[in-house]
């Protein structure tokens, strides 16, 4: 995506993640920060991985001349991304109508939890609420227990940021064909609901019950569950298919009838026998036993420990830069390699350079007046 120009109005969470993804893919991303630096990790902006590969411009958008400078950036951009509550960008003078008037080819990406329309559009919210109303949170947890929070991966980053990237790329393709930009309304609730398509399919076919911990993929099945080992660690077991289940039983040396794998009446007893067997050895011992097998058993490791996992290490999935552990760019390509951009910039590090190179008039005067800030 070399040559793609993106302006990101600074925010937190899914919108920065989407812009980071485009930067990983080669886009030039200009983050427009507020005076005073970041609001989510104050004093630690240089370790905010979501801002890697970007340049930072500080503009005081309360001042008309700073808004005009932002619009000058928009005029030279292919994409604008913002994650404000609906109407905020309009009040700043940077709404879609204004920006598209300046740049008819612009793809204007809007990232919110509830979306631009609907009765909750103006309501505050966070990941946990978005996954709650879609049914995703209800589906996660042990049978008879409370729902379990899936970090903010399902909502903010999968249902939100990833779908904003998908929408922006699709709109860019359309703009290439007819020369017209458009607005991308990426709502986390929409994305999470879309991610549940497979679960909705299983419900429609009668193979999924609308309750926690009783289904094939939610821990209800004893052959798709997490078990504790002798050293207090855990293993993830995912032996869904018959041939994988038979391999699991063989390596565990369990005398079970593979033909009864899906006999739910026998699941409680089977779970007990599996749990007892897994508690007989340490995680490392079981990992060695299951190495190179198709039993679909993997050790549950910590976030830092994951960097040392042989497979992830061989692929370079996790890297360390300036003491910060982070994921390498994804996905991968056969000839157009994604690259890990520069470290996250301090707010305002690139103000003068960006304003000048993007052709913003009177860059020096903007900085001298305080409407723009060079750190």
């Amino acid at each position: 995506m070399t040559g793609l120009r993106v302006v990101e109005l600074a925010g937190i969470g899914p919108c920065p993640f989407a812009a980071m993804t485009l930067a990983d893919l080669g886009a030039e991303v200009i983050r427009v920060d507020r005076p005073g630096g970041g609001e989510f990790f104050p004093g630690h902006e240089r370790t905010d991985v979501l801002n890697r590969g970007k340049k930072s411009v500080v503009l005081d958008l309360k001042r008309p001349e700073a808004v005009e400078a932002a619009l000058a950036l928009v005029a030279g951009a292919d994409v604008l991304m913002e994650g404000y509550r609906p109407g905020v960008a309009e009040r700043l003078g940077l709404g879609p109508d204004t920006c598209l008037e300046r740049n008819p080819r612009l793809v204007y990406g809007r990232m919110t939890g509830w979306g631009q329309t609907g009765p909750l559009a103006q309501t505050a919210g966070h990941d946990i609420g978005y996954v709650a109303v879609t049914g995703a949170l209800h589906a996660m947890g042990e049978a008879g227990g409370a729902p379990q929070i899936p970090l903010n991966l399902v909502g903010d980053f999968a249902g939100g940021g990833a779908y904003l990237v998908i929408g922006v790329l699709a709109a860019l393709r359309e703009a290439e064909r007819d020369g017209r930009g458009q607005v991308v309304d990426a709502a986390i609730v929409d994305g999470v609901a879309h991610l549940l398509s497979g679960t909705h399919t299983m419900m429609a076919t009668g193979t999924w019950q609308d309750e926690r911990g009783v289904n094939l993929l939610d821990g209800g099945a004893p052959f798709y569950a997490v078990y504790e080992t002798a050293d207090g660690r855990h293993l993830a077991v995912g032996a869904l298919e018959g041939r994988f289940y038979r391999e699991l039983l063989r390596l565990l040396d369990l005398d079970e009838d593979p033909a009864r794998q899906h006999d739910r009446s026998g699941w409680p007893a089977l779970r007990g026998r599996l749990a007892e067997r897994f508690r007989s050895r340490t995680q490392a011992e079981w990992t060695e036993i299951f190495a190179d097998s198709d039993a679909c058993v993997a050790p549950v490791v910590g976030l830092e420990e994951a960097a040392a996992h042989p497979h992830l290490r061989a692929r370079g999935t996790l890297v360390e830069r300036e003491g910060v552990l982070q994921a390498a760019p994804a996905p991968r390509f056969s000839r157009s390699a994604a690259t890990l951009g520069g470290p996250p910039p301090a707010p305002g590090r690139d103000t003068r350079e960006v304003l000048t190179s993007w052709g913003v008039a009177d860059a020096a005067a903007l900085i001298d007046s305080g409407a723009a800030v060079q750190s």
Side-chain angles (χ1 to χ4, degrees):
M1 301 192 71
T2 302
L4 185 72
R5 288 179 136 192
V6 180
V7 173
E8 173 200 355
L9 302 183
I12 61 174
C15 189
F17 171 75
M20 178 206 76
T21 302
L22 294 180
D24 287 347
L25 296 176
E28 180 182 6
V29 178
I30 306 302
R31 179 176 166 97
V32 178
D33 283 300
R34 300 179 179 89
E39 61 180 52
F40 201 55
F41 300 109
H44 298 279
E45 293 87 357
R46 293 302 304 276
T47 57
D48 186 349
V49 172
L50 297 182
N51 287 327
R52 71 186 185 196
K54 304 177 184 178
K55 296 178 181 179
S56 171
V57 171
V58 170
L59 294 175
D60 184 356
L61 296 178
K62 296 179 181 178
R63 300 176 59 162
E65 62 269 38
V67 173
E68 185 58 35
L71 287 171
L73 295 176
V74 167
D78 300 294
V79 178
L80 181 142
M81 290 180 165
E82 58 95 354
Y84 300 144
R85 199 178 299 196
V88 172
E90 284 84 348
R91 290 194 292 273
L92 288 172
L94 294 170
D97 291 345
T98 303
C99 290
L100 284 164
E101 184 178 352
R102 287 289 185 100
N103 182 355
R105 295 178 59 90
L106 181 73
V107 171
Y108 193 111
R110 314 199 82 172
M111 181 76 260
T112 60
W114 302 116
Q116 298 297 315
T117 60
L120 294 176
Q122 290 295 332
T123 306
H126 280 296
D127 181 288
I128 191 170
Y130 310 139
V131 299
V133 302
T134 60
L137 186 59
H138 168 80
M140 300 178 192
E142 296 182 358
Q148 296 297 303
I149 302 170
L151 300 182
N152 62 332
L153 301 178
V154 174
D156 281 348
F157 295 108
Y163 275 85
L164 178 57
V165 172
I166 293 169
V168 163
L169 294 179
L172 281 170
R173 175 62 175 151
E174 188 72 12
E176 289 175 356
R177 296 174 61 180
D178 64 13
R180 294 186 299 161
Q182 60 184 302
V183 178
V184 177
D185 176 4
I188 294 173
V189 290
D190 296 346
V192 173
H194 196 257
L195 288 169
L196 285 166
S197 296
T199 307
H200 289 146
T201 296
M202 288 186 284
M203 285 181 59
T205 59
T207 55
W208 188 277
Q209 299 178 48
D210 194 11
E211 54 182 294
R212 286 183 295 281
V214 299
N215 298 289
L216 274 181
L217 302 177
D218 62 1
F223 44 84
Y224 196 91
V226 174
Y227 290 95
E228 186 177 1
T229 55
D231 52 351
R233 305 199 70 183
H234 294 86
L235 292 167
V237 177
L240 281 174
E241 292 84 353
R243 64 186 185 278
F244 302 154
Y245 180 61
R246 290 191 294 272
E247 180 74 351
L248 174 70
L249 295 179
R250 183 184 71 82
L251 291 172
L252 288 175
D253 194 23
L254 278 178
D255 186 16
E256 298 286 338
D257 182 1
R260 297 191 60 198
Q261 178 182 2
H262 295 284
D263 180 1
R264 289 174 178 262
S265 67
W267 281 6
L270 176 60
R271 186 183 300 275
R273 288 190 288 273
L274 288 170
E276 181 181 10
R277 186 58 56 92
F278 280 121
R279 282 196 297 266
S280 68
R281 297 177 186 266
T282 66
Q283 184 195 69
E285 290 172 329
W286 283 121
T287 299
E288 184 176 354
I289 289 171
F290 287 105
D292 302 321
S293 81
D294 278 344
C296 300
V297 176
V300 178
V301 302
L303 292 170
E304 293 184 346
E305 188 181 3
H309 188 279
H311 184 78
L312 273 61
R313 187 173 63 241
R315 287 183 59 82
T317 300
L318 291 164
V319 297
E320 184 174 309
R321 167 179 280 175
E322 297 186 4
V324 179
L325 182 66
Q326 55 195 284
R332 304 182 186 197
F333 303 88
S334 62
R335 63 179 181 86
S336 304
T339 58
L340 193 68
R349 183 196 67 184
D350 310 292
T351 300
R352 190 185 308 275
E353 182 264 317
V354 168
L355 294 182
T356 301
S357 64
W358 281 50
V360 177
D362 299 324
L366 287 167
I367 294 171
D368 289 343
S369 71
V373 178
Q374 170 69 46
S375 66

